[in-house]
């Protein structure tokens, strides 16, 4: 499986980090996970392009994870593509219905399938996925893909999620802020390290990075590594790796 970070920013994007989006590719299978602002443009910079991505899997419905959904739908329509499937937690149908009510000229331009999933096993775009309910300010699912890659979505760090990720080759985890920012619904690096302590994960990428993290990468890594004895790195837009 090839994983590409399209967007590693947050609701406050920076010049180098658009909002959340991760591209998974394996042979003919492609899947976009989350579709925040800027992700459509980042997708256009890849070989597969928005023409090659017909399925989007959402972790949750905050704007920085869904705001490029209709721009993606419209770009695919204009490119002559006929399908788009959007899969996500409870409320995904209502979200898409609402968006298309508002932008009704996009109704029926493309064959849109919407599917809701829970914290369970399911298949999407040919990938075997396990969902896991995480701790955020709205319902949000972490996902484990083909048993090798785990994405936390937006969440606090906690033992249950660390166990869910245990044994994975790579975990991409929300690490929105440095330690000095007092925050709920996202972890600090110290909290992330403590949750991951003793966990067997090949590599951890820190993502969903707010501007507050700029210039703080070394100290954030030190904080995670104070209790987690593993390979920890910062994600960045365009970073690609194979599992
Ligand atoms: Zn969120
Ligand atoms: Zn977010």
């Amino acid at each position: 499986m090839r994983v590409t970070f399209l967007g590693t920013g947050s609701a406050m994007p920076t010049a180098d980090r658009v909002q959340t989006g991760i591209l998974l590719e394996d042979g003919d299978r492609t899947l976009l996970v989350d579709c925040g602002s800027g992700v459509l443009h980042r997708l256009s910079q890849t070989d597969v392009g928005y023409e090659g991505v017909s399925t989007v899997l959402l972790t949750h419905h905050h704007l920085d994870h869904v705001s490029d959904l209709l721009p993606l739908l419209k770009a695919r329509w204009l490119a002559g593509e006929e399908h788009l499937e959007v899969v996500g937690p409870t409320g995904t149908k209502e979200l898409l219905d609402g968006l298309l009510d508002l932008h009704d000229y996009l109704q029926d331009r493309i064959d849109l399938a919407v599917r809701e999933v829970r914290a369970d096993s399911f298949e999407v775009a040919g990938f075997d996925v396990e969902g896991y309910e995480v701790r955020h300010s709205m319902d949000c699912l972490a996902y484990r893909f083909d048993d090798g890659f785990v994405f936390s979505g937006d969440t606090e760090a906690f033992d249950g999620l660390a166990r869910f990720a245990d044994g994975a080759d790579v975990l991409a985890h929300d690490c929105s802020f440095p330690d000095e920012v007092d925050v709920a619904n996202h972890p600090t690096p110290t909290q992330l390290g403590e949750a991951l302590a003793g966990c067997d994960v090949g590599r951890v990428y820190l993502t969903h990075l707010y501007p507050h993290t700029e210039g703080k990468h070394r100290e954030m890594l030190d904080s995670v590594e104070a209790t987690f004895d593993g390979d920890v790195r910062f994600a960045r837009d365009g970073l690609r790796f194979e599992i």
Side-chain angles (χ1 to χ4, degrees):
M1 187 192 326
R2 184 159 70 173
V3 180
T4 306
F5 287 109
L6 298 174
T8 58
S10 65
M12 294 173 67
T14 65
D16 298 326
R17 297 185 192 279
V18 305
Q19 298 182 348
T20 299
I22 300 177
L23 177 65
L24 306 184
E25 298 168 87
D26 194 358
D28 292 342
R29 304 179 297 164
T30 61
L31 175 64
L32 175 63
V33 184
D34 282 344
C35 194
S37 171
V39 169
L40 177 62
H41 183 69
R42 288 281 190 255
L43 204 48
S44 75
Q45 297 169 326
T46 66
D47 291 340
V48 62
Y50 48 80
E51 297 92 336
V53 173
S54 59
T55 308
V56 184
L57 176 64
L58 304 174
T59 59
H60 67 305
H61 299 145
H62 274 152
L63 204 50
D64 54 314
H65 300 253
V66 306
S67 55
D68 265 1
L69 276 178
L70 283 202
L72 172 63
L73 183 149
K74 181 168 180 178
R76 286 182 57 77
W77 162 46
L78 295 175
E81 298 295 334
E82 295 175 348
H83 306 283
L84 183 66
E85 182 183 28
V86 180
V87 181
T90 305
T92 299
K93 283 194 176 78
E94 192 181 357
L95 173 74
L96 270 296
D97 285 349
L99 287 171
L100 287 168
D101 270 353
L102 196 58
H103 303 278
D104 61 350
Y105 74 102
L106 292 174
Q107 295 269 12
D108 303 322
R109 296 298 188 185
I110 208 163
D111 175 20
L112 176 67
V114 182
R115 179 158 58 108
E116 297 189 346
V117 293
R118 295 171 183 275
D120 208 343
S121 300
F122 55 93
E123 191 192 297
V124 59
F127 291 88
D128 291 320
V129 185
E130 181 85 27
Y132 184 81
E133 197 175 316
V134 295
R135 297 179 182 171
H136 194 45
S137 51
M138 70 161 61
D139 287 348
C140 181
L141 295 173
Y143 294 119
R144 184 167 178 140
F145 300 93
D146 288 1
D147 214 28
F149 175 62
V150 175
F151 177 44
S152 71
D154 283 11
T155 179
E156 296 177 3
F158 62 105
D159 290 348
L161 178 54
R163 282 196 297 277
F164 176 70
D166 201 34
D169 296 293
V170 176
L171 164 66
H173 202 294
D174 177 351
C175 197
S176 292
F177 297 101
D179 279 325
E180 63 265 30
V181 177
D182 185 22
V183 63
N185 306 309
H186 299 284
T188 63
T190 294
Q191 291 164 346
L192 180 56
E194 287 169 355
L196 292 176
C199 184
D200 176 25
V201 173
R203 185 181 303 160
V204 177
Y205 281 107
L206 310 182
T207 188
H208 202 265
L209 301 164
Y210 272 79
H212 312 59
T213 62
E214 296 297 325
K216 302 282 176 65
H217 288 193
R218 186 61 257 170
E219 67 179 66
M220 289 176 69
L221 290 173
D222 288 345
S223 294
V224 179
E225 290 165 349
T227 45
F228 174 61
D229 180 24
D231 181 356
V232 187
R233 305 180 192 192
F234 272 78
R236 59 178 164 74
D237 289 19
L239 182 77
R240 173 173 286 189
F241 58 88
E242 303 270 348
I243 293 178

